[in-house]
Amino acid sequence: MNHCPCFFRLKKGHGGSFRFLSQPIFWISDLQLPRRGPGGGRHQPIRVWVHPPRRNRTSGLSPASLGAGRGLGAKPAAATSRRRKNMAGAAGPGTGAGAAGGDGDDSLYPIAVLIDELRNEDVQLRLNSIKKLSTIALALGVERTRTELLPFLTDTIYDEDEVLLALAEQLGNFTGLVGGPDFAHCLLPPLESLATVEETVVRDKAVESLRQISQEHTSVALEAHFVPLVKRLASGDWFTSRTSACGLFSVCYPRASNAIKAEIRQHFRSLCSDDTPMVRRAAAAKLGEFAKVLELDSVKSEIVPLFTNLASDEQDSVRLLAVEACVSIAQLLSQEDLEALVMPILRQAAEDKSWRVRYMVADKFSELQKAVGPKITQDDLIPAFQNLLKDCEAEVRAAAAHKVKELCENLPIEGRETIIMDQILPFIKELVSDTNQHVKSALASVIMGLSTILGKENTIEHLLPLFLAQLKDECPEVRLNIISNLDCVNEVIGIRQLSQSLLPAIVELAEDAKWRVRLAIIEYMPLLAGQLGVEFFDEKLNSLCMAWLVDHVYAIREAATNNLMKLVQKFGIEWAQNTIVPKVLVMANDPNYLHRMTTLFCINVLSEACGQEITTKQMLPIVLKMAGDQVANVRFNVAKSLQKIGPILDTDALQEEVKPVLQKLGQDEDMDVKYFAQEAMSVVVQRLRKLDLPVKDCDEPSAPGADKNHFLRPRGPGEDAGKEGAAVRGGQSPCRAQVERLESSEASYILVAGSVAPNVPSSSSSLS
Amino acid sequence: MSSSSPPPGAASAAISAAEKVDGFTRKSVRKAQRQKRSQGSSQFRSQGSQPELHPLPQLKDATSNEQQELFCQKLQQCCILFDFMDSVSDLKSKEIKRATLNELVEYVSTNRGVIVESAYSDIVKMISANIFRTLPPSDNPDFDPEEDEPTLEASWPHIQLVYEFFLRFLESPDFQPSIAKRYIDQKFVQQLLELFDSEDPRERDFLKTVLHRIYGKFLGLRAFIRKQINNIFLRFIYETEHFNGVAELLEILGSIINGFALPLKAEHKQFLMKVLIPMHTAKGLALFHAQLAYCVVQFLEKDTTLTEPVIRGLLKFWPKTCSQKEVMFLGEIEEILDVIEPTQFKKIEEPLFKQISKCVSSSHFQVAERALYFWNNEYILSLIEENIDKILPIMFGSLYKISKEHWNPTIVALVYNVLKTLMEMNGKLFDDLTSSYKAERQREKKKELEREELWKKLEELKLKKALEKQNSAYNMHSILSNTNDE
C-alpha cells in the first residue's frame, strides 16, 4: 500500500522540515486526516470529504508545491483562514483573488481556487472543482499525485453521490497523470472504495474506470495489484463490492497466469451462487462476457454448470439474465455440445412460468437464432417461436411479433419460403386480429418487410389481405405503422395494389382526434405523394393537406406548412403555382387571424421553393397588404416574413415596397410589432448596403438590443410558441388584450393548454 | 395510445368539439371512461379445459372417521384452478369450488382437532397451488399508485377464500409450527414475499397478516424473512424502483423492530442505515413514508445513539427538487426530534438547522410552513432555547430575509412569530445579529464576486497554459524535424 504522504503528515510548525518548491499558498490542515491502518487491507469507504481533480488538457502547469490538506469541513471557514495566514504566511484562497494573485505565482492559482471550492456548501461548486481534478494532478506532478493526492482521495471520500460519480469517471482517465502504465495501480485504492458504495451509478462508473485502467496495467502489475483487488471485492462483506467484482473478472482473466486463472474462476463460481440475488444477477449479467475469455474446456466444465444453475434460479430476475448469457455461450460451443448442454435449458426458458423470462427469449430471439445456427433453429427455435407468438401475455407476443421479420430474414435462403409459409405465416395471421393493440402495432411495424422476402406472388396472395386488414384496424398506431412502411411493399408489388384501401385509411388518420396521430400521417405525406404520383395526389390528398393548414392545433398547422414545402420540392414550381399558392393566399382574407398568420407561415417556407418570380408577383403584395391587419400578431409576423423573404426579392422590391412598409410598422403602437419591424429593417438595410445601393432617407433603426425591456418581456403570443412549450399566456402583454376574434373552441383550448401543458403543443392560438 | 381511443367508424363523427381541440383528454376524464379492469394470473396459459368438479358431500354430514378423508379430498379438489378472465366458462365448477372453500374455512375455524399431522401437506399444497403464481405484467406500464386505480386480481372470489383459510389455519389453536415448518419453508416464504408486488391492495392486506403470523410462529424463518425483505428493498431502491408492497412490508417491519432485543445487533443497525435511510430516495415515497418514518423512529427509541447517523443520512438524501417530499422529510424530522435526547440534539443541531433554515426560506409555502411549525412544538422549542446561541445565528439570516421578502402572507406572519419567540429567548444576541445583518450580507456578496473573479482568472490561466503547451509542442516538433533533416 502507499506510503503515508509526507505532505499530509506535515503539521503546524513542521513546515521548515519540508522544502517547498515555492511558497505554499495552501493552508495546512491542523486536523489529522483519517488514515488507513498500516495493514493496508480492505478499507471501508470512509465518508468524509474528498479532494478530487479532473482532466483538463491544459497540462504544462509547473509542478507547484501544493498543500492540499484540508480540515474535515467542520472548522468554520473564518477560523481556518486565520490560522492559515498566521502559519503559512501566505494568504489562502478563501481570502480573495487579490491576495492569492498577489503572490505573483500564477501557476498556483487554479489549485487554490479548486481546493477552496471543494469546501463549499454548494454541491454544484464542489462538483465544478472535482471536475477539474486533473488540473490539480497536473500541477502536483505525477509523483506527488501518486503519493499525496491519491491516498488522500482514497481515505476521504465525500458523501454526495453526484460528486463521487464525477470522481469515479475521472479516475478512469488518470493513468497519464500518475506517471503512465507503470503506475496505473496507484489508481486502484480510490476506485476500490468507489466500487463499494451503495449507489449503483457510482459503482458502475467505478467498475467502468477500473476496466479501463486494467488494460493499462502491465501483466506484472495486473497480478500484483489488480487481481488482489478483484479478489477483495469478490469476498467483500456487503453485496455492493461483490456486485462490482462481477464486472472485473473478464478483464483480468486473459492476462493472468494459470494458477491465478483457477482462482478467478473459483471466485466467479462462488458469486454465481451468492445468497444475495443482487449479486447473482450481476454474475448472470456478466456470465456471457466471462465465458468468452475462458478456454473452451473451462467453458464446458465450469461455465455451463453455472449457466444451468442460474437459468433455474428461484428468482425470475436472475433466470432472465441467463437467457442473455445463453447467446454468448452458444456461440462458443460446437453443435453437439450445444444440443447436449445448452438447448435443454433454452427450451425450458422459452416455456418458463414467468412471463419475464419468456419475454427475454422473445426479445433476444434473433441473437439466439444466429448463435445456435440454422439446424437447431429449424428444429427447436421455430416451434418455440410459434409458442411465443401465441403466448398468454401480450408483452411476450408483442416482443415476438417484433422479431418476425428478422427471424425470417435470417433463415437460410434455401427452404426459407416454405418455412415461413407453413410455420410462421399461420401464426401471424392470428396476430393481425389480436386483442392487444401493442401486439398488433408491433406486428404492423415489421410485417411489410416480409414482402421482400416472400416475393410478389406470395405477397399478393397472402400478405396483402393482412396489410389491408391492418389498414382498417381500429387502433391508429397500427394503421400508421403500416403506412410508414409502405416503401417495402412498393418495391415488390407497387403501391397501386393498396391505393384503394390506403385512401380511406389515410383520410381517417388525417381526421383522428389525437393530434399526434394527425402529425404522424402528415409526416408521411411527402413519401406517399412520391409513390402515388401527382394525379392521385391532386385528386384525393390535396384537400387534406390544405385542411391541415386550418387545424386547431398549432403543431399540425406548422407541420402542414412544412409539408407544403416538401410537396413543392417534389412536384415543382408550376404545380405549386397552380394548386397550392392560390389557396394559401386566399386564406389571407380569412376572418380568423390564426388562419391569416398561417398564410404568412406558408409564405415563409414556400418563397424559397417557389423562387423570386412567384414570391415577388404573388406573395409579396399579399404580405404587404397584411401589414395593415387589425391584429398585432399578424402585423409583427408580416415584419418577420418580410425579413425572411427579403433575400429572395430583388433590390427594387426591397427598396420600393418592403422598406416603406417596414418603416410604417416601425412606428406601430404595439411594441412587439415595432421590435420585429426594426429587426427586419436592419436586415433589409444590411442587404441593400451589401448590394451597394445608396441608403437614403432611412434612419438607421436602433439595434434590436436597444430596447432592453424587450428581452425581459415574454415573446408575443404566436411567436415561436410551438417550441417554447406551453407557457400560459394569459394577461402578459397588455397590448394583447385586444382580442379580435376568439373562437369558442380556441378559448377552450387555452384553458386546456394551461393544465396539460406537456402534452399539448403550445399554440399560437393562445390569445390574440 | 390509451385504450380510450374511439372506434374508427364513430371517430370522426362522435368527437366532441372540446376533444377535437384538445386531442388529449385530461387524465381524470380518461380514467372515468376506463372501466375497472381486472387481470388474471400468468399461470393460465394453454392448460386446456378444466375437469369439471363434482360436489362432494358436506363435511358436517360425514362421520368423524370419514371426515379426515373427506377434508383431504376437498383440499385436493380446491387445487384445481379456473380461468376468471373468461367469465362464462366453468361456472358450475367455479361455484362448487367457492362453496367448498367456504366450507373449509368454516371447518378449520369452528372445529377443534381437525388439523392433524397428515393434513398439513395437503393444506399447504392447496394454498400454494392457488396463491403462488407469476404476477402478470401491469396493464399500465406507467402505473402511478397514487393516481391510478389498481388492476384487481380476477380470481379474487377464490383467492380471497384461500387466504382466509390460510389465516384460520395459522391462527388455529391446533396449529403446530414444528410440523408446519416442513412445508412452510424458505422457498414457501420466498414465493409469498414475491406476491407482495401484487397490484391488488386486498391481496397485499391478506399477505401482510399472513406474513406477520408466519414471522411470529416460525422462529427459524425470522432471519430469513428479514433478509429477503432486505433484498426486496435493495432491489426496489437500486434496481427496479418498483414494488407495490413496500408499505405493507414496512408495516410488518415496524412491529418486528419493536420486538428487537437490546442492544441492537449490528445486522439491524446496518439494515437501518443501508436500507431504510436510502429508501427515502425512492420516487414513490409518499406511498409508504408514514410506515418508513415509523420504523425509523422505532429504531431511535430503541437506541438513541443512532440519532446522529440517521439525521445525517436524511440530510444527505434531502430532496432537492421535490417539495412534496421535502414536506415529508420535515415531518419525519419532527417525529425524530420528538424523541431525541438533548445530548444527541447537540450533535446534529448545526447541520440540521442549516437545512431547516433553507426550508424556512423555501419559496414553496408548504415547505416553509411545515418547517415553521417546528416552533409550535413545545419540546423542540425547549431544545432550541437550550441551544439558542448556536441556533439563532444559523436561523437568523433566512428568517430575517423572508420576513421582508416572502410572497405568502401566512408565512410572513408565521415568521414574525418565530422571530419574536427567538428574540425572547436571547434578546442580546438577537440585537447583535440584527445590527450585523447588513454587513454580513455585503460580505457574502463580496465573496460571491471574488469567486467569480477567481474562476475568470482560472479560465485565463487555462488559455495561457494551452498556448504555452502549443508552443512547446511546436518547438518539440521543430526540433524533431530538424533531427530528421540531419
Side-chain angles (χ1 to χ4, degrees):
Chain A
M1 282 290 142
N2 295 296
H3 299 291
C4 187
C6 52
F7 161 60
F8 292 107
R9 236 192 242 143
L10 201 66
K11 304 274 291 248
K12 201 180 194 174
H14 292 240
S17 65
F18 183 80
R19 205 175 149 69
F20 285 98
L21 293 171
S22 61
Q23 204 171 27
I25 65 156
F26 297 98
W27 63 96
I28 308 295
S29 168
D30 54 340
L31 287 171
Q32 183 66 56
L33 295 163
R35 299 248 14 110
R36 222 177 315 141
R42 222 180 307 130
H43 44 266
Q44 300 295 324
I46 301 166
R47 301 183 157 258
V48 202
W49 290 85
V50 96
H51 276 194
R54 159 137 192 161
R55 112 190 101 121
N56 146 8
R57 298 268 139 95
T58 46
S59 86
L61 279 173
S62 62
S65 96
L66 156 75
R70 201 160 49 79
L72 300 182
K75 286 278 156 191
T80 328
S81 108
R82 216 178 305 123
R83 190 169 302 119
R84 242 183 284 150
K85 225 178 207 165
N86 296 340
M87 200 183 57
T95 50
D103 287 355
D105 188 351
D106 272 356
S107 59
L108 296 177
Y109 210 54
I111 306 117
V113 183
L114 292 165
I115 296 198
D116 195 37
E117 295 283 87
L118 275 173
R119 298 190 312 165
N120 202 291
E121 279 188 10
D122 186 341
V123 187
Q124 192 53 50
L125 292 175
R126 289 201 301 268
L127 201 58
N128 286 346
S129 37
I130 284 253
K131 286 186 173 165
K132 308 259 184 190
L133 198 60
S134 61
T135 312
I136 296 184
L138 274 170
L140 275 172
V142 292
E143 194 181 330
R144 301 189 65 198
T145 300
R146 286 198 302 270
T147 54
E148 297 174 22
L149 186 62
L150 287 176
F152 184 69
L153 289 177
T154 315
D155 288 341
T156 57
I157 297 283
Y158 177 69
D159 62 355
E160 192 89 27
D161 289 329
E162 207 170 338
V163 180
L164 294 183
L165 178 67
L167 177 58
E169 185 177 2
Q170 290 181 54
L171 288 177
N173 300 318
F174 238 60
T175 309
L177 295 168
V178 294
D182 289 344
F183 297 97
H185 61 89
C186 297
L187 295 169
L188 298 180
L191 283 171
E192 184 176 348
S193 290
L194 290 168
T196 60
V197 302
E198 263 87 58
E199 180 51 56
T200 323
V201 281
V202 176
R203 226 166 47 217
D204 288 350
K205 189 53 89 180
V207 170
E208 200 184 309
S209 289
L210 279 171
R211 287 168 70 109
Q212 202 172 326
I213 62 171
S214 76
Q215 304 303 328
E216 287 155 354
H217 276 70
T218 58
S219 323
V220 180
L222 195 79
E223 273 190 29
H225 301 282
F226 197 87
V227 174
L229 168 138
V230 176
K231 286 196 246 170
R232 276 198 301 280
L233 286 175
S235 45
D237 294 331
W238 189 241
F239 79 95
T240 51
S241 68
R242 301 200 297 275
T243 320
S244 296
C246 293
L248 297 174
F249 291 114
S250 64
V251 290
C252 56
Y253 189 85
R255 292 167 65 199
S257 66
N258 283 339
I260 303 269
K261 277 183 174 173
E263 274 186 65
I264 294 175
R265 290 199 302 271
Q266 173 56 37
H267 276 287
F268 191 82
R269 258 204 309 277
S270 63
L271 290 182
C272 283
S273 51
D274 198 278
D275 67 344
T276 320
M278 279 77 75
V279 179
R280 290 203 304 277
R281 276 196 286 278
K286 300 291 176 189
L287 185 65
E289 182 191 286
F290 190 53
K292 280 186 191 162
V293 299
L294 250 61
E295 299 77 16
L296 187 58
D297 284 345
S298 308
V299 171
K300 272 195 259 184
S301 63
E302 300 193 29
I303 293 290
V304 169
L306 293 177
F307 167 66
T308 316
N309 282 339
L310 290 169
S312 49
D313 195 276
E314 59 191 19
Q315 302 234 338
D316 58 358
S317 53
V318 179
R319 294 201 299 273
L320 66 87
L321 289 168
V323 175
E324 253 183 312
C326 186
V327 177
S328 311
I329 296 173
Q331 286 167 345
L332 302 170
L333 299 176
S334 66
Q335 286 283 316
E336 296 110 63
D337 289 336
L338 255 183
E339 184 55 58
L341 302 171
V342 175
M343 286 319 290
I345 293 157
L346 187 57
R347 273 178 222 129
Q348 177 193 318
E351 291 176 353
D352 197 279
K353 68 178 196 294
S354 164
W355 63 270
R356 289 186 190 86
V357 180
R358 301 197 303 273
Y359 173 89
M360 202 62 174
V361 175
D363 196 50
K364 296 275 165 224
F365 214 87
S366 306
E367 288 90 333
L368 287 169
Q369 183 189 1
K370 277 181 206 148
V372 299
K375 170 87 172 50
I376 295 180
T377 299
Q378 174 61 39
D379 297 346
D380 270 295
L381 291 193
I382 299 274
F385 192 70
Q386 291 169 345
N387 283 333
L388 293 171
L389 283 177
K390 55 176 196 194
D391 196 274
C392 67
E393 294 297 351
E395 265 75 2
V396 181
R397 291 200 302 276
H402 261 302
K403 300 290 166 189
V404 164
K405 185 188 153 201
E406 261 181 272
L407 173 97
C408 295
E409 261 174 358
N410 294 333
L411 289 171
I413 295 177
E414 198 179 322
R416 176 162 78 178
E417 198 181 308
T418 348
I419 298 177
I420 298 175
M421 296 305 295
D422 298 346
Q423 298 183 50
I424 308 275
L425 205 61
F427 293 89
I428 294 178
K429 279 181 183 158
E430 302 257 308
L431 287 188
V432 168
S433 48
D434 198 273
T435 49
N436 184 294
Q437 56 174 344
H438 297 294
V439 177
K440 288 186 292 189
S441 127
L443 182 68
S445 67
V446 297
I447 189 172
M448 307 290 267
L450 291 182
S451 49
T452 37
I453 302 170
L454 288 178
K456 190 170 176 180
E457 271 171 39
N458 283 324
T459 302
I460 292 175
E461 196 183 333
H462 298 282
L463 292 178
L464 199 56
L466 304 181
F467 299 158
L468 295 178
Q470 292 217 301
L471 269 178
K472 295 193 186 86
D473 198 274
E474 60 175 16
C475 168
E477 212 179 320
V478 177
R479 283 173 271 151
L480 265 180
N481 279 344
I482 290 289
I483 291 177
S484 61
N485 287 306
L486 277 177
D487 46 341
C488 309
V489 187
N490 196 21
E491 290 163 21
V492 182
I493 56 169
I495 208 163
R496 289 274 158 190
Q497 294 270 5
L498 277 172
S499 59
Q500 281 315 309
S501 313
L502 213 45
L503 195 65
I506 293 172
V507 172
E508 213 169 87
L509 288 169
E511 290 169 353
D512 197 278
K514 295 196 172 63
W515 66 266
R516 283 183 204 278
V517 175
R518 301 203 293 276
L519 187 63
I521 189 75
I522 293 177
E523 271 155 19
Y524 295 122
M525 266 303 145
L527 177 80
L528 286 172
Q531 291 178 353
L532 293 167
V534 65
E535 270 170 49
F536 186 89
F537 183 86
D538 276 344
E539 197 181 319
K540 318 272 185 182
L541 300 178
N542 197 1
S543 55
L544 283 178
C545 290
M546 299 317 287
W548 281 319
L549 288 175
V550 294
D551 198 276
H552 294 274
V553 177
Y554 176 75
I556 299 299
R557 296 198 298 272
E558 192 190 30
T561 41
N562 288 329
N563 175 41
L564 285 189
M565 181 188 65
K566 285 182 196 146
L567 290 175
V568 171
Q569 283 168 351
K570 206 153 235 154
F571 292 149
I573 297 177
E574 202 175 313
W575 176 81
Q577 200 173 1
N578 294 332
T579 49
I580 300 282
V581 176
K583 287 183 189 164
V584 168
L585 295 183
V586 163
M587 275 165 45
N589 299 320
D590 197 283
N592 185 333
Y593 82 99
L594 293 171
H595 299 170
R596 298 202 295 279
M597 290 210 301
T598 306
T599 302
L600 290 172
F601 297 148
C602 287
I603 289 175
N604 289 347
V605 296
L606 287 179
S607 57
E608 202 177 330
C610 288
Q612 195 184 49
E613 200 191 322
I614 298 179
T615 308
T616 318
K617 289 210 172 124
Q618 298 191 8
M619 296 176 180
L620 185 62
I622 302 288
V623 177
L624 295 175
K625 205 185 98 197
M626 289 168 85
D629 201 284
Q630 264 182 297
V631 180
N633 292 44
V634 178
R635 292 201 301 280
F636 75 64
N637 271 301
V638 166
K640 289 170 75 182
S641 289
L642 288 175
Q643 185 183 334
K644 270 239 172 70
I645 63 174
I648 299 156
L649 300 173
D650 61 20
T651 46
D652 281 353
L654 277 180
Q655 186 74 20
E656 304 300 327
E657 300 183 64
V658 175
K659 242 172 77 179
V661 169
L662 282 178
Q663 257 161 355
K664 190 169 153 263
L665 287 175
Q667 309 298 319
D668 202 279
E669 58 183 11
D670 185 281
M671 55 200 300
D672 286 325
V673 178
K674 224 190 273 180
Y675 170 79
F676 287 111
Q678 286 169 355
E679 202 175 50
M681 184 60 117
S682 67
V683 173
V684 168
V685 167
Q686 247 175 26
R687 187 171 143 75
L688 287 174
R689 275 231 189 92
K690 237 180 247 162
L691 298 170
D692 220 4
L693 280 170
V695 183
K696 42 180 184 180
D697 63 60
C698 164
D699 301 342
E700 183 76 11
S702 55
D707 183 5
K708 286 211 171 94
N709 284 337
H710 190 273
F711 294 106
L712 303 174
R713 233 154 37 86
R715 288 263 150 141
E719 172 50 28
D720 295 335
K723 275 133 210 150
E724 273 169 17
V728 184
R729 289 158 188 282
Q732 41 166 238
S733 169
C735 46
R736 296 276 154 274
Q738 15 140 333
V739 176
E740 185 222 21
R741 207 187 124 89
L742 203 55
E743 294 184 355
S744 59
S745 57
E746 302 291 350
S748 69
Y749 179 66
I750 301 165
L751 296 176
V752 173
S755 54
V756 288
N759 285 337
V760 179
S762 159
S763 81
S764 57
S765 64
S766 313
L767 188 59
S768 162
Chain B
M1 308 260 148
S2 95
S3 53
S4 67
S5 68
S12 41
I15 297 157
S16 67
E19 205 178 337
K20 181 131 191 176
V21 165
D22 177 2
F24 276 82
T25 42
R26 224 129 356 127
K27 221 178 178 186
S28 51
V29 181
R30 260 190 295 141
K31 245 177 247 139
Q33 290 169 348
R34 199 188 302 159
Q35 287 151 358
K36 231 182 208 178
R37 283 153 327 178
S38 53
Q39 60 189 10
S41 43
S42 213
Q43 61 195 350
F44 279 102
R45 32 195 217 99
S46 51
Q47 282 194 347
S49 59
Q50 298 302 322
E52 204 172 311
L53 295 192
H54 298 287
L56 294 163
Q58 291 275 303
L59 278 165
K60 60 173 187 271
D61 301 337
T63 64
S64 50
N65 304 349
E66 298 162 352
Q67 250 180 3
Q68 203 50 49
E69 173 78 2
L70 189 58
F71 180 53
C72 287
Q73 276 177 11
K74 292 205 174 216
L75 284 170
Q76 277 154 14
Q77 193 175 46
C78 288
C79 285
I80 294 168
L81 305 176
F82 297 97
D83 184 359
F84 275 82
M85 292 310 278
D86 185 350
S87 53
V88 289
S89 68
D90 308 313
L91 280 179
K92 210 172 125 220
S93 298
K94 280 179 189 166
E95 176 53 29
I96 291 170
K97 178 169 170 184
R98 198 191 60 77
T100 312
L101 283 168
N102 262 327
E103 197 193 351
L104 290 174
V105 172
E106 167 104 15
Y107 183 67
V108 293
S109 46
T110 52
N111 296 311
R112 292 295 309 270
V114 294
I115 303 176
V116 295
E117 193 171 341
S118 59
Y120 278 77
S121 150
D122 283 326
I123 290 175
V124 176
K125 208 182 282 166
M126 189 278 278
I127 293 167
S128 309
N130 278 283
I131 63 172
F132 293 153
R133 63 207 191 277
T134 308
L135 295 169
S138 175
D139 253 2
N140 184 354
D142 30 49
F143 174 68
D144 175 1
E146 282 177 87
E147 278 266 332
D148 296 324
E149 282 286 325
T151 314
L152 299 176
E153 173 58 47
S155 55
W156 190 243
H158 285 173
I159 288 199
Q160 179 185 17
L161 293 169
V162 175
Y163 276 115
E164 193 86 23
F165 174 78
F166 192 9
L167 266 183
R168 299 289 166 89
F169 167 64
L170 288 170
E171 287 167 356
S172 160
D174 296 335
F175 177 75
Q176 288 183 29
S178 53
I179 302 171
K181 75 178 178 196
R182 265 178 263 156
Y183 309 102
I184 298 182
D185 54 3
Q186 295 193 348
K187 192 159 187 287
F188 185 93
V189 170
Q190 176 73 46
Q191 287 172 288
L192 198 68
L193 281 167
E194 268 163 36
L195 289 176
F196 274 85
D197 195 20
S198 166
E199 247 183 65
D200 194 331
R202 302 168 301 183
E203 177 164 21
R204 295 202 305 270
D205 209 48
F206 264 114
L207 284 164
K208 186 176 72 188
T209 325
V210 164
L211 185 65
H212 193 252
R213 298 284 178 275
I214 292 179
Y215 191 86
K217 296 198 188 247
F218 296 83
L219 302 186
L221 286 172
R222 287 187 176 182
F224 179 78
I225 292 176
R226 285 199 306 270
K227 203 167 99 197
Q228 293 310 316
I229 293 182
N230 197 335
N231 288 342
I232 289 175
F233 284 172
L234 286 168
R235 188 178 63 182
F236 168 71
I237 304 168
Y238 294 115
E239 292 182 12
T240 58
E241 288 192 354
H242 176 91
F243 193 82
N244 289 315
V246 174
E248 283 80 4
L249 290 176
L250 282 169
E251 217 176 313
I252 299 170
L253 275 170
S255 75
I256 292 177
I257 295 164
N258 211 345
F260 280 165
L262 287 172
L264 288 177
K265 285 193 213 160
E267 172 213 333
H268 301 326
K269 290 187 190 170
Q270 190 183 47
F271 175 69
L272 170 68
M273 294 314 299
K274 295 211 169 185
V275 181
L276 289 186
I277 298 295
M279 266 179 96
H280 286 84
T281 56
K283 205 167 58 187
L285 180 66
L287 290 165
F288 55 82
H289 181 254
Q291 289 85 346
L292 182 58
Y294 178 79
C295 287
V296 171
V297 173
Q298 287 287 308
F299 263 113
L300 299 186
E301 286 193 337
K302 288 259 162 197
D303 183 353
T304 51
T305 60
L306 291 168
T307 316
E308 190 189 348
V310 163
I311 290 190
R312 285 194 188 275
L314 289 177
L315 291 176
K316 176 185 166 191
F317 294 127
W318 201 273
K320 294 196 170 56
T321 52
C322 180
S323 328
Q324 196 201 356
K325 268 170 85 172
E326 229 176 327
V327 173
M328 288 185 253
F329 270 58
L330 284 165
E332 187 168 347
I333 290 286
E334 184 166 1
E335 280 180 53
I336 293 173
L337 289 178
D338 267 334
V339 300
I340 201 169
E341 281 187 2
T343 49
Q344 296 295 327
F345 182 77
K346 280 200 169 53
K347 290 185 191 163
I348 43 83
E349 58 185 358
E350 198 181 314
L352 178 61
F353 275 83
K354 273 187 184 155
Q355 183 58 56
I356 293 176
S357 156
K358 273 185 212 155
C359 294
V360 160
S361 48
S362 166
S363 57
H364 195 299
F365 79 98
Q366 284 175 337
V367 175
E369 189 179 52
R370 187 68 192 82
L372 289 166
Y373 279 162
F374 281 18
W375 273 263
N376 293 347
N377 183 315
E378 296 271 318
Y379 183 62
I380 297 179
L381 219 51
S382 73
L383 289 168
I384 293 178
E385 183 152 19
E386 271 170 45
N387 301 283
I388 187 73
D389 297 350
K390 281 272 178 56
I391 292 172
L392 188 51
I394 300 172
M395 294 298 301
F396 185 81
S398 45
L399 285 174
Y400 191 81
K401 200 170 125 220
I402 46 171
S403 72
K404 303 254 185 277
E405 288 175 7
H406 206 278
W407 61 272
N408 185 306
T410 323
I411 297 299
V412 174
L414 279 169
V415 165
Y416 271 118
N417 285 336
V418 169
L419 279 171
K420 215 176 111 221
T421 323
L422 291 172
M423 192 166 68
E424 281 161 8
M425 286 177 183
N426 188 343
K428 167 94 177 47
L429 181 59
F430 193 91
D431 289 344
D432 288 351
L433 288 168
T434 320
S435 53
S436 64
Y437 177 77
K438 269 221 175 98
E440 194 71 27
R441 285 296 90 85
Q442 257 156 9
R443 237 185 52 207
E444 267 172 32
K445 256 187 206 149
K446 207 176 133 218
K447 254 175 125 179
E448 192 57 40
L449 276 177
E450 278 170 6
R451 161 171 300 119
E452 271 173 37
E453 193 70 14
L454 281 164
W455 280 107
K456 221 186 281 166
K457 287 210 173 176
L458 176 60
E459 283 304 308
E460 284 164 16
L461 192 68
K462 210 168 92 182
L463 288 177
K464 214 167 83 188
K465 295 283 179 200
L467 216 68
E468 272 172 26
K469 195 186 170 192
Q470 237 171 30
N471 286 342
S472 68
Y474 175 76
N475 289 339
M476 278 299 277
H477 182 73
S478 47
I479 292 166
L480 279 178
S481 52
N482 284 343
T483 6
N484 286 349
D485 288 346
E486 290 160 16

